[in-house]
PDB file of all heavy atoms in Angstrom:
ATOM      1  N   ALA A 297      14.121  14.557 -53.420  1.00  0.00           N
ATOM      2  CA  ALA A 297      14.174  14.376 -54.859  1.00  0.00           C
ATOM      3  C   ALA A 297      13.017  15.095 -55.554  1.00  0.00           C
ATOM      4  O   ALA A 297      13.193  15.787 -56.557  1.00  0.00           O
ATOM      5  CB  ALA A 297      14.145  12.873 -55.207  1.00  0.00           C
ATOM      6  N   ALA A 298      11.822  15.013 -54.990  1.00  0.00           N
ATOM      7  CA  ALA A 298      10.653  15.655 -55.577  1.00  0.00           C
ATOM      8  C   ALA A 298      10.803  17.198 -55.485  1.00  0.00           C
ATOM      9  O   ALA A 298      10.438  17.921 -56.415  1.00  0.00           O
ATOM     10  CB  ALA A 298       9.392  15.251 -54.830  1.00  0.00           C
ATOM     11  N   ASP A 299      11.364  17.646 -54.378  1.00  0.00           N
ATOM     12  CA  ASP A 299      11.569  19.096 -54.180  1.00  0.00           C
ATOM     13  C   ASP A 299      12.526  19.628 -55.276  1.00  0.00           C
ATOM     14  O   ASP A 299      12.289  20.641 -55.897  1.00  0.00           O
ATOM     15  CB  ASP A 299      12.205  19.321 -52.795  1.00  0.00           C
ATOM     16  CG  ASP A 299      11.980  20.752 -52.304  1.00  0.00           C
ATOM     17  OD1 ASP A 299      11.350  21.540 -52.990  1.00  0.00           O
ATOM     18  OD2 ASP A 299      12.430  21.057 -51.169  1.00  0.00           O
ATOM     19  N   LEU A 300      13.628  18.901 -55.481  1.00  0.00           N
ATOM     20  CA  LEU A 300      14.614  19.358 -56.483  1.00  0.00           C
ATOM     21  C   LEU A 300      14.021  19.298 -57.916  1.00  0.00           C
ATOM     22  O   LEU A 300      14.338  20.211 -58.720  1.00  0.00           O
ATOM     23  CB  LEU A 300      15.899  18.531 -56.359  1.00  0.00           C
ATOM     24  CG  LEU A 300      16.693  18.817 -55.102  1.00  0.00           C
ATOM     25  CD1 LEU A 300      17.839  17.800 -54.943  1.00  0.00           C
ATOM     26  CD2 LEU A 300      17.288  20.235 -55.117  1.00  0.00           C
ATOM     27  N   LEU A 301      13.279  18.266 -58.207  1.00  0.00           N
ATOM     28  CA  LEU A 301      12.653  18.188 -59.520  1.00  0.00           C
ATOM     29  C   LEU A 301      11.722  19.341 -59.736  1.00  0.00           C
ATOM     30  O   LEU A 301      11.680  19.963 -60.845  1.00  0.00           O
ATOM     31  CB  LEU A 301      11.813  16.898 -59.581  1.00  0.00           C
ATOM     32  CG  LEU A 301      12.450  15.629 -60.219  1.00  0.00           C
ATOM     33  CD1 LEU A 301      11.456  14.477 -60.144  1.00  0.00           C
ATOM     34  CD2 LEU A 301      12.836  15.874 -61.661  1.00  0.00           C
ATOM     35  N   THR A 302      10.967  19.696 -58.725  1.00  0.00           N
ATOM     36  CA  THR A 302       9.961  20.793 -58.854  1.00  0.00           C
ATOM     37  C   THR A 302      10.637  22.137 -59.015  1.00  0.00           C
ATOM     38  O   THR A 302      10.319  22.936 -59.911  1.00  0.00           O
ATOM     39  CB  THR A 302       9.068  20.755 -57.612  1.00  0.00           C
ATOM     40  OG1 THR A 302       8.422  19.527 -57.471  1.00  0.00           O
ATOM     41  CG2 THR A 302       7.982  21.874 -57.741  1.00  0.00           C
ATOM     42  N   LEU A 303      11.627  22.432 -58.174  1.00  0.00           N
ATOM     43  CA  LEU A 303      12.312  23.696 -58.243  1.00  0.00           C
ATOM     44  C   LEU A 303      13.122  23.836 -59.530  1.00  0.00           C
ATOM     45  O   LEU A 303      13.230  24.916 -60.105  1.00  0.00           O
ATOM     46  CB  LEU A 303      13.188  23.899 -56.993  1.00  0.00           C
ATOM     47  CG  LEU A 303      12.441  23.939 -55.679  1.00  0.00           C
ATOM     48  CD1 LEU A 303      13.441  24.126 -54.508  1.00  0.00           C
ATOM     49  CD2 LEU A 303      11.420  25.065 -55.657  1.00  0.00           C
ATOM     50  N   SER A 304      13.710  22.720 -59.961  1.00  0.00           N
ATOM     51  CA  SER A 304      14.427  22.739 -61.232  1.00  0.00           C
ATOM     52  C   SER A 304      13.506  23.083 -62.427  1.00  0.00           C
ATOM     53  O   SER A 304      13.858  23.861 -63.295  1.00  0.00           O
ATOM     54  CB  SER A 304      15.113  21.400 -61.455  1.00  0.00           C
ATOM     55  OG  SER A 304      15.701  21.322 -62.751  1.00  0.00           O
ATOM     56  N   ALA A 305      12.324  22.492 -62.403  1.00  0.00           N
ATOM     57  CA  ALA A 305      11.367  22.776 -63.455  1.00  0.00           C
ATOM     58  C   ALA A 305      10.928  24.247 -63.464  1.00  0.00           C
ATOM     59  O   ALA A 305      10.823  24.895 -64.521  1.00  0.00           O
ATOM     60  CB  ALA A 305      10.152  21.874 -63.359  1.00  0.00           C
ATOM     61  N   ALA A 306      10.714  24.791 -62.286  1.00  0.00           N
ATOM     62  CA  ALA A 306      10.346  26.203 -62.138  1.00  0.00           C
ATOM     63  C   ALA A 306      11.507  27.093 -62.623  1.00  0.00           C
ATOM     64  O   ALA A 306      11.290  28.117 -63.340  1.00  0.00           O
ATOM     65  CB  ALA A 306      10.046  26.515 -60.669  1.00  0.00           C
ATOM     66  N   TRP A 307      12.734  26.711 -62.292  1.00  0.00           N
ATOM     67  CA  TRP A 307      13.861  27.486 -62.767  1.00  0.00           C
ATOM     68  C   TRP A 307      13.985  27.471 -64.318  1.00  0.00           C
ATOM     69  O   TRP A 307      14.281  28.480 -64.935  1.00  0.00           O
ATOM     70  CB  TRP A 307      15.143  26.883 -62.157  1.00  0.00           C
ATOM     71  CG  TRP A 307      16.435  27.541 -62.628  1.00  0.00           C
ATOM     72  CD1 TRP A 307      17.025  28.666 -62.129  1.00  0.00           C
ATOM     73  CD2 TRP A 307      17.261  27.072 -63.729  1.00  0.00           C
ATOM     74  NE1 TRP A 307      18.176  28.932 -62.800  1.00  0.00           N
ATOM     75  CE2 TRP A 307      18.361  27.983 -63.814  1.00  0.00           C
ATOM     76  CE3 TRP A 307      17.189  26.019 -64.595  1.00  0.00           C
ATOM     77  CZ2 TRP A 307      19.381  27.891 -64.760  1.00  0.00           C
ATOM     78  CZ3 TRP A 307      18.215  25.902 -65.569  1.00  0.00           C
ATOM     79  CH2 TRP A 307      19.301  26.817 -65.641  1.00  0.00           C
ATOM     80  N   ARG A 308      13.727  26.359 -64.909  1.00  0.00           N
ATOM     81  CA  ARG A 308      13.743  26.278 -66.354  1.00  0.00           C
ATOM     82  C   ARG A 308      12.708  27.216 -66.973  1.00  0.00           C
ATOM     83  O   ARG A 308      13.002  27.858 -67.992  1.00  0.00           O
ATOM     84  CB  ARG A 308      13.466  24.802 -66.809  1.00  0.00           C
ATOM     85  CG  ARG A 308      14.619  23.859 -66.543  1.00  0.00           C
ATOM     86  CD  ARG A 308      14.330  22.452 -67.051  1.00  0.00           C
ATOM     87  NE  ARG A 308      14.259  22.441 -68.529  1.00  0.00           N
ATOM     88  CZ  ARG A 308      15.296  22.275 -69.340  1.00  0.00           C
ATOM     89  NH1 ARG A 308      16.472  22.097 -68.856  1.00  0.00           N
ATOM     90  NH2 ARG A 308      15.122  22.239 -70.663  1.00  0.00           N
ATOM     91  N   LEU A 309      11.538  27.302 -66.396  1.00  0.00           N
ATOM     92  CA  LEU A 309      10.524  28.209 -66.908  1.00  0.00           C
ATOM     93  C   LEU A 309      11.059  29.651 -66.849  1.00  0.00           C
ATOM     94  O   LEU A 309      10.904  30.415 -67.805  1.00  0.00           O
ATOM     95  CB  LEU A 309       9.272  28.126 -66.033  1.00  0.00           C
ATOM     96  CG  LEU A 309       8.158  27.194 -66.500  1.00  0.00           C
ATOM     97  CD1 LEU A 309       6.951  27.322 -65.574  1.00  0.00           C
ATOM     98  CD2 LEU A 309       7.760  27.394 -67.930  1.00  0.00           C
ATOM     99  N   ASP A 310      11.695  30.027 -65.766  1.00  0.00           N
ATOM    100  CA  ASP A 310      12.267  31.341 -65.616  1.00  0.00           C
ATOM    101  C   ASP A 310      13.338  31.650 -66.635  1.00  0.00           C
ATOM    102  O   ASP A 310      13.526  32.785 -67.050  1.00  0.00           O
ATOM    103  CB  ASP A 310      12.825  31.565 -64.207  1.00  0.00           C
ATOM    104  CG  ASP A 310      11.731  31.759 -63.168  1.00  0.00           C
ATOM    105  OD1 ASP A 310      10.683  32.317 -63.518  1.00  0.00           O
ATOM    106  OD2 ASP A 310      11.943  31.343 -62.026  1.00  0.00           O
ATOM    107  N   GLN A 311      14.046  30.577 -67.045  1.00  0.00           N
ATOM    108  CA  GLN A 311      15.126  30.769 -68.017  1.00  0.00           C
ATOM    109  C   GLN A 311      14.620  30.722 -69.485  1.00  0.00           C
ATOM    110  O   GLN A 311      15.399  30.879 -70.410  1.00  0.00           O
ATOM    111  CB  GLN A 311      16.213  29.689 -67.833  1.00  0.00           C
ATOM    112  CG  GLN A 311      16.778  29.625 -66.411  1.00  0.00           C
ATOM    113  CD  GLN A 311      17.263  30.925 -65.885  1.00  0.00           C
ATOM    114  OE1 GLN A 311      18.040  31.629 -66.569  1.00  0.00           O
ATOM    115  NE2 GLN A 311      16.792  31.282 -64.708  1.00  0.00           N
ATOM    116  N   GLY A 312      13.311  30.487 -69.657  1.00  0.00           N
ATOM    117  CA  GLY A 312      12.780  30.397 -70.999  1.00  0.00           C
ATOM    118  C   GLY A 312      13.189  29.112 -71.669  1.00  0.00           C
ATOM    119  O   GLY A 312      13.133  29.025 -72.932  1.00  0.00           O
ATOM    120  N   LEU A 313      13.532  28.126 -70.914  1.00  0.00           N
ATOM    121  CA  LEU A 313      13.944  26.811 -71.502  1.00  0.00           C
ATOM    122  C   LEU A 313      12.712  25.895 -71.695  1.00  0.00           C
ATOM    123  O   LEU A 313      11.746  26.047 -70.944  1.00  0.00           O
ATOM    124  CB  LEU A 313      14.968  26.147 -70.582  1.00  0.00           C
ATOM    125  CG  LEU A 313      16.250  26.880 -70.402  1.00  0.00           C
ATOM    126  CD1 LEU A 313      17.121  26.183 -69.298  1.00  0.00           C
ATOM    127  CD2 LEU A 313      17.082  26.906 -71.710  1.00  0.00           C
ATOM    128  N   PRO A 314      12.787  24.934 -72.612  1.00  0.00           N
ATOM    129  CA  PRO A 314      11.692  23.946 -72.679  1.00  0.00           C
ATOM    130  C   PRO A 314      11.454  23.272 -71.343  1.00  0.00           C
ATOM    131  O   PRO A 314      12.468  22.835 -70.740  1.00  0.00           O
ATOM    132  CB  PRO A 314      12.225  22.962 -73.764  1.00  0.00           C
ATOM    133  CG  PRO A 314      13.188  23.754 -74.559  1.00  0.00           C
ATOM    134  CD  PRO A 314      13.855  24.702 -73.604  1.00  0.00           C
ATOM    135  N   SER A 315      10.203  23.230 -70.928  1.00  0.00           N
ATOM    136  CA  SER A 315       9.959  22.770 -69.544  1.00  0.00           C
ATOM    137  C   SER A 315       8.812  21.749 -69.432  1.00  0.00           C
ATOM    138  O   SER A 315       8.510  21.297 -68.363  1.00  0.00           O
ATOM    139  CB  SER A 315       9.629  23.951 -68.638  1.00  0.00           C
ATOM    140  OG  SER A 315      10.622  24.963 -68.747  1.00  0.00           O
ATOM    141  N   ASN A 316       8.161  21.456 -70.578  1.00  0.00           N
ATOM    142  CA  ASN A 316       6.974  20.610 -70.531  1.00  0.00           C
ATOM    143  C   ASN A 316       7.236  19.251 -69.889  1.00  0.00           C
ATOM    144  O   ASN A 316       6.539  18.801 -68.954  1.00  0.00           O
ATOM    145  CB  ASN A 316       6.413  20.444 -71.925  1.00  0.00           C
ATOM    146  CG  ASN A 316       4.990  19.983 -71.897  1.00  0.00           C
ATOM    147  OD1 ASN A 316       4.277  20.119 -70.939  1.00  0.00           O
ATOM    148  ND2 ASN A 316       4.519  19.449 -73.014  1.00  0.00           N
ATOM    149  N   ARG A 317       8.309  18.566 -70.379  1.00  0.00           N
ATOM    150  CA  ARG A 317       8.635  17.271 -69.819  1.00  0.00           C
ATOM    151  C   ARG A 317       9.053  17.382 -68.328  1.00  0.00           C
ATOM    152  O   ARG A 317       8.643  16.577 -67.512  1.00  0.00           O
ATOM    153  CB  ARG A 317       9.769  16.608 -70.602  1.00  0.00           C
ATOM    154  CG  ARG A 317      10.275  15.305 -69.940  1.00  0.00           C
ATOM    155  CD  ARG A 317      11.264  14.582 -70.843  1.00  0.00           C
ATOM    156  NE  ARG A 317      12.514  15.360 -71.049  1.00  0.00           N
ATOM    157  CZ  ARG A 317      13.494  15.334 -70.170  1.00  0.00           C
ATOM    158  NH1 ARG A 317      13.419  14.703 -69.029  1.00  0.00           N
ATOM    159  NH2 ARG A 317      14.618  16.027 -70.472  1.00  0.00           N
ATOM    160  N   GLU A 318       9.867  18.347 -67.981  1.00  0.00           N
ATOM    161  CA  GLU A 318      10.353  18.547 -66.643  1.00  0.00           C
ATOM    162  C   GLU A 318       9.176  18.797 -65.674  1.00  0.00           C
ATOM    163  O   GLU A 318       9.186  18.270 -64.542  1.00  0.00           O
ATOM    164  CB  GLU A 318      11.358  19.663 -66.575  1.00  0.00           C
ATOM    165  CG  GLU A 318      12.726  19.313 -67.222  1.00  0.00           C
ATOM    166  CD  GLU A 318      12.684  19.391 -68.743  1.00  0.00           C
ATOM    167  OE1 GLU A 318      11.687  19.837 -69.323  1.00  0.00           O
ATOM    168  OE2 GLU A 318      13.688  18.990 -69.387  1.00  0.00           O
ATOM    169  N   ILE A 319       8.221  19.630 -66.058  1.00  0.00           N
ATOM    170  CA  ILE A 319       7.073  19.897 -65.225  1.00  0.00           C
ATOM    171  C   ILE A 319       6.263  18.629 -65.023  1.00  0.00           C
ATOM    172  O   ILE A 319       5.772  18.319 -63.925  1.00  0.00           O
ATOM    173  CB  ILE A 319       6.239  21.039 -65.794  1.00  0.00           C
ATOM    174  CG1 ILE A 319       7.038  22.357 -65.660  1.00  0.00           C
ATOM    175  CG2 ILE A 319       4.931  21.184 -65.075  1.00  0.00           C
ATOM    176  CD1 ILE A 319       6.380  23.532 -66.372  1.00  0.00           C
ATOM    177  N   ALA A 320       6.045  17.876 -66.098  1.00  0.00           N
ATOM    178  CA  ALA A 320       5.313  16.619 -66.024  1.00  0.00           C
ATOM    179  C   ALA A 320       6.029  15.652 -65.095  1.00  0.00           C
ATOM    180  O   ALA A 320       5.360  14.998 -64.283  1.00  0.00           O
ATOM    181  CB  ALA A 320       5.158  15.990 -67.426  1.00  0.00           C
ATOM    182  N   SER A 321       7.380  15.585 -65.172  1.00  0.00           N
ATOM    183  CA  SER A 321       8.113  14.692 -64.310  1.00  0.00           C
ATOM    184  C   SER A 321       7.926  15.098 -62.833  1.00  0.00           C
ATOM    185  O   SER A 321       7.772  14.244 -61.933  1.00  0.00           O
ATOM    186  CB  SER A 321       9.558  14.704 -64.642  1.00  0.00           C
ATOM    187  OG  SER A 321       9.832  14.135 -65.930  1.00  0.00           O
ATOM    188  N   ALA A 322       7.986  16.382 -62.577  1.00  0.00           N
ATOM    189  CA  ALA A 322       7.851  16.883 -61.210  1.00  0.00           C
ATOM    190  C   ALA A 322       6.456  16.545 -60.682  1.00  0.00           C
ATOM    191  O   ALA A 322       6.293  16.108 -59.587  1.00  0.00           O
ATOM    192  CB  ALA A 322       8.088  18.380 -61.134  1.00  0.00           C
ATOM    193  N   LYS A 323       5.440  16.757 -61.551  1.00  0.00           N
ATOM    194  CA  LYS A 323       4.072  16.519 -61.068  1.00  0.00           C
ATOM    195  C   LYS A 323       3.804  15.059 -60.764  1.00  0.00           C
ATOM    196  O   LYS A 323       3.287  14.691 -59.727  1.00  0.00           O
ATOM    197  CB  LYS A 323       3.113  17.051 -62.192  1.00  0.00           C
ATOM    198  CG  LYS A 323       1.687  17.334 -61.697  1.00  0.00           C
ATOM    199  CD  LYS A 323       0.731  16.195 -61.753  1.00  0.00           C
ATOM    200  CE  LYS A 323      -0.647  16.565 -61.333  1.00  0.00           C
ATOM    201  NZ  LYS A 323      -1.598  15.415 -61.338  1.00  0.00           N
ATOM    202  N   VAL A 324       4.219  14.189 -61.671  1.00  0.00           N
ATOM    203  CA  VAL A 324       3.976  12.770 -61.443  1.00  0.00           C
ATOM    204  C   VAL A 324       4.757  12.215 -60.293  1.00  0.00           C
ATOM    205  O   VAL A 324       4.262  11.431 -59.439  1.00  0.00           O
ATOM    206  CB  VAL A 324       4.177  11.934 -62.736  1.00  0.00           C
ATOM    207  CG1 VAL A 324       5.653  11.799 -63.088  1.00  0.00           C
ATOM    208  CG2 VAL A 324       3.554  10.580 -62.622  1.00  0.00           C
ATOM    209  N   TYR A 325       6.042  12.634 -60.160  1.00  0.00           N
ATOM    210  CA  TYR A 325       6.877  12.079 -59.102  1.00  0.00           C
ATOM    211  C   TYR A 325       6.450  12.658 -57.725  1.00  0.00           C
ATOM    212  O   TYR A 325       6.330  11.892 -56.742  1.00  0.00           O
ATOM    213  CB  TYR A 325       8.339  12.368 -59.336  1.00  0.00           C
ATOM    214  CG  TYR A 325       9.236  11.699 -58.311  1.00  0.00           C
ATOM    215  CD1 TYR A 325       9.545  10.361 -58.463  1.00  0.00           C
ATOM    216  CD2 TYR A 325       9.703  12.356 -57.160  1.00  0.00           C
ATOM    217  CE1 TYR A 325      10.311   9.706 -57.489  1.00  0.00           C
ATOM    218  CE2 TYR A 325      10.493  11.731 -56.225  1.00  0.00           C
ATOM    219  CZ  TYR A 325      10.778  10.398 -56.402  1.00  0.00           C
ATOM    220  OH  TYR A 325      11.558   9.789 -55.453  1.00  0.00           O
ATOM    221  N   ALA A 326       6.179  13.948 -57.633  1.00  0.00           N
ATOM    222  CA  ALA A 326       5.836  14.561 -56.335  1.00  0.00           C
ATOM    223  C   ALA A 326       4.512  14.023 -55.822  1.00  0.00           C
ATOM    224  O   ALA A 326       4.373  13.748 -54.602  1.00  0.00           O
ATOM    225  CB  ALA A 326       5.836  16.059 -56.456  1.00  0.00           C
TER     226      ALA A 326
END
Side-chain angles (χ1 to χ4, degrees):
D299 202 1
L300 290 170
L301 266 177
T302 302
L303 296 180
S304 173
W307 176 86
R308 289 182 66 87
L309 268 185
D310 285 329
Q311 306 308 310
L313 297 171
S315 309
N316 200 18
R317 174 174 64 82
E318 288 78 7
I319 291 172
S321 293
K323 202 269 184 184
V324 71
Y325 186 80

